[in-house]
Amino acid sequence: MKTYRIACIPGDGIGKEVVPAGETVLRALSDAGAGFRFEFSSFDWGGDYYRLHGVMMPDDGLDALRPMDAILFGSAGDPDIPDHVTLWGLRLKICQGFDQYANVRPTRILPGIDAPLKRCTPAQLDWVIVRENSEGEYSGVGGRVHQGHPIEVATDVSMMTRAGVERIMRFAFRLARERPRKQLTVVTKSNAQRHAMVMWDEIAVQVSGEFPDVKWDKELVDACTARMVNRPASLDTLVATNLHADILSDLAAALAGSLGIAPTGNIDPERRYPSMFEPIHGSAFDIMGKGLANPVGTFWSCVMLLDHLGEREAAARLMRAIESVTADASLHTRDLGGTAATAAVTEAVCRRLQS
Ligand code: ATP
């Protein structure tokens, strides 16, 4: 029987609760006759590891992950460690080390979820945001000089390469073509950023020539936020830079009902390295350790993981189980206005997989 090796990195905060829940659900799926098995390896990297070793993950950590088929990640963030240290020391180290240049973020209003847009039916909000995940505003290029002096200067340079933009555009057009509406919106800010974003637009036009069957348009990022709220059905697949898509996908998650539901995949489309799947929420220190975290974002990330492994049928089966659980208000966690605990939601999904 096929065995998939999955690396589990719970990280910090509620990551330590939702990743084990994800592992439980994946085990239940394989126990329920999915036709394959999982071999999980857990890595205790994150804030606690930093306190002991001075780094978020070991220097040779990527070597341990390389032979894995996929990675299930929780979150990186610790109240006592600066955010840029936790983010760059763990999550971005893996994303960049494994050139997971396409960050894919589906958004839908799942059954039973009371989403905030009063004029929008669930059928009218079905988006996938493709985020450039390897360069742009989060390239890490920049520096500080004269630190602490009145003449201090700090720069963060947004680096965009032709190769980087071409590959993410091609990925987004390809993904849009696979979806029923075959529609892509290229998010830009070329009115104000007249170098890199103008190249971004030009490359969109060039790549679009390879996809004559995809209908596409261009939208300024600020106008895009209003369009997401006012005309959600006019959007389907979106592609945006690292920073723009980061912000748009938090808005998308909120419009779909809760940050606790939204999944994401950090994908290496060329499959040279393992891809990494994670809920989009952060560490949520206010609820950590209380068993209150919504595990649905992690479960949906597991669906993306299964899809990536080519296990389409199992992915669809898990998604059906998740939707049947969200449809039941008694199984809603606090972020959805309910009182259910992480364990109850996890058990309910497992039960549905068994039946
Ligand atoms: P980070 O700095 O790591 O991004 P954060 O606490 O600032 O973390 P998030 O964790 O992304 O931000 O979420 C903000 C708030 O949303 C949390 O404080 C929490 O109340 C709520 N929240 C996020 N994810 C969940 C979840 N899975 N279940 C329940 N509530 C959640």
Side-chain angles (χ1 to χ4, degrees), residues 281-329:
H281 63 72
S283 307
F285 305 127
D286 52 331
I287 55 164
M288 72 178 187
K290 296 180 180 161
L292 298 174
N294 188 348
V296 169
T298 303
F299 298 162
W300 194 348
S301 304
C302 291
V303 171
M304 295 182 75
L305 180 153
L306 290 162
D307 259 330
H308 184 74
L309 294 176
E311 297 294 350
R312 295 279 158 92
E313 213 180 293
R317 187 168 165 195
L318 177 55
M319 198 67 218
R320 281 196 301 276
I322 293 168
E323 294 190 77
S324 135
V325 164
T326 61
D328 181 348

Side-chain angles (χ1 to χ4, degrees), residues 106-108 125-129 172-183 213-214 235-238:
T107 308
R108 278 196 293 121
L125 198 163
D126 184 356
W127 305 327
V128 181
I129 298 177
F173 271 97
R174 214 175 288 132
L175 183 67
R177 187 165 63 184
E178 283 167 16
R179 289 170 52 83
R181 289 172 67 190
K182 301 188 191 314
Q183 183 194 324
D213 50 340
V214 175
L235 295 162
D236 186 81
T237 309
L238 299 92

Side-chain angles (χ1 to χ4, degrees), residues 21-36 38 40 298-300 302-303 306 311-325 331 344-355:
E23 195 179 320
T24 302
V25 158
L26 286 175
R27 271 189 213 286
L29 186 65
S30 69
D31 290 348
F36 52 82
F38 293 107
F40 295 101
T298 303
F299 298 162
W300 194 348
C302 291
V303 171
L306 290 162
E311 297 294 350
R312 295 279 158 92
E313 213 180 293
R317 187 168 165 195
L318 177 55
M319 198 67 218
R320 281 196 301 276
I322 293 168
E323 294 190 77
S324 135
V325 164
L331 291 168
V345 181
T346 307
E347 270 165 39
V349 171
C350 292
R351 261 200 316 276
R352 279 158 176 82
L353 288 171
Q354 282 146 12
S355 64

Side-chain angles (χ1 to χ4, degrees), residues 232-272:
S234 73
L235 295 162
D236 186 81
T237 309
L238 299 92
V239 61
T241 67
N242 216 329
L243 172 65
H244 292 165
D246 192 8
I247 297 166
L248 292 181
S249 50
D250 261 36
L251 172 61
L255 295 177
S258 170
L259 206 55
I261 290 175
T264 183
N266 302 285
I267 312 282
D268 165 25
E270 278 79 45
R271 296 174 184 266
R272 298 155 295 171

Side-chain angles (χ1 to χ4, degrees), residues 18-332:
V18 293
V19 166
E23 195 179 320
T24 302
V25 158
L26 286 175
R27 271 189 213 286
L29 186 65
S30 69
D31 290 348
F36 52 82
R37 269 201 300 262
F38 293 107
E39 196 179 286
F40 295 101
S41 307
S42 199
F43 296 87
D44 62 348
W45 303 336
D48 293 338
Y49 191 92
Y50 184 89
R51 271 181 280 280
L52 287 173
H53 304 282
V55 285
M56 293 289 288
M57 65 182 274
D59 287 343
D60 60 356
L62 292 182
D63 294 337
L65 298 178
R66 199 167 280 117
M68 300 289 168
D69 292 304
I71 303 164
L72 183 62
F73 189 84
S75 86
D78 187 288
D80 303 323
I81 308 170
D83 284 345
H84 65 275
V85 173
T86 55
L87 188 64
W88 280 96
L90 184 56
R91 195 181 156 275
L92 289 183
K93 197 167 172 170
I94 299 170
C95 288
Q96 299 208 338
F98 287 160
D99 201 19
Q100 296 162 341
Y101 67 83
N103 182 219
V104 179
R105 301 183 160 200
T107 308
R108 278 196 293 121
I109 301 174
L110 298 187
I113 303 298
D114 183 23
L117 286 179
K118 67 173 192 269
R119 292 194 300 268
C120 172
T121 64
Q124 290 173 323
L125 198 163
D126 184 356
W127 305 327
V128 181
I129 298 177
V130 176
R131 169 183 176 187
E132 202 297 316
N133 212 29
S134 68
E135 52 176 37
E137 306 88 343
Y138 298 172
S139 311
V141 177
R144 288 173 74 172
V145 288
H146 309 305
Q147 278 197 44
H149 295 282
I151 55 166
E152 182 167 356
V153 176
T155 58
D156 270 298
V157 181
S158 172
M159 298 289 297
M160 302 230 183
T161 63
R162 174 165 283 277
V165 178
E166 277 183 12
R167 67 183 185 174
I168 199 65
M169 284 296 169
R170 219 162 256 131
F171 179 87
F173 271 97
R174 214 175 288 132
L175 183 67
R177 187 165 63 184
E178 283 167 16
R179 289 170 52 83
R181 289 172 67 190
K182 301 188 191 314
Q183 183 194 324
L184 178 70
T185 297
V186 175
V187 180
T188 185
K189 193 59 192 167
S190 50
N191 57 342
Q193 294 177 296
R194 61 203 175 117
H195 305 296
M197 292 311 298
V198 171
M199 182 181 79
W200 170 271
D201 291 0
E202 286 169 6
I203 292 174
V205 173
Q206 172 205 318
V207 173
S208 72
E210 300 166 25
F211 299 87
D213 50 340
V214 175
K215 194 165 61 177
W216 75 284
D217 65 351
K218 205 169 78 176
E219 189 71 88
L220 293 174
V221 63
D222 39 346
C224 194
T225 58
R227 184 167 161 190
M228 286 165 76
V229 172
N230 294 325
R231 291 185 295 130
S234 73
L235 295 162
D236 186 81
T237 309
L238 299 92
V239 61
T241 67
N242 216 329
L243 172 65
H244 292 165
D246 192 8
I247 297 166
L248 292 181
S249 50
D250 261 36
L251 172 61
L255 295 177
S258 170
L259 206 55
I261 290 175
T264 183
N266 302 285
I267 312 282
D268 165 25
E270 278 79 45
R271 296 174 184 266
R272 298 155 295 171
Y273 307 104
S275 292
M276 180 162 77
F277 301 85
E278 55 175 333
I280 81 160
H281 63 72
S283 307
F285 305 127
D286 52 331
I287 55 164
M288 72 178 187
K290 296 180 180 161
L292 298 174
N294 188 348
V296 169
T298 303
F299 298 162
W300 194 348
S301 304
C302 291
V303 171
M304 295 182 75
L305 180 153
L306 290 162
D307 259 330
H308 184 74
L309 294 176
E311 297 294 350
R312 295 279 158 92
E313 213 180 293
R317 187 168 165 195
L318 177 55
M319 198 67 218
R320 281 196 301 276
I322 293 168
E323 294 190 77
S324 135
V325 164
T326 61
D328 181 348
S330 75
L331 291 168
H332 284 183

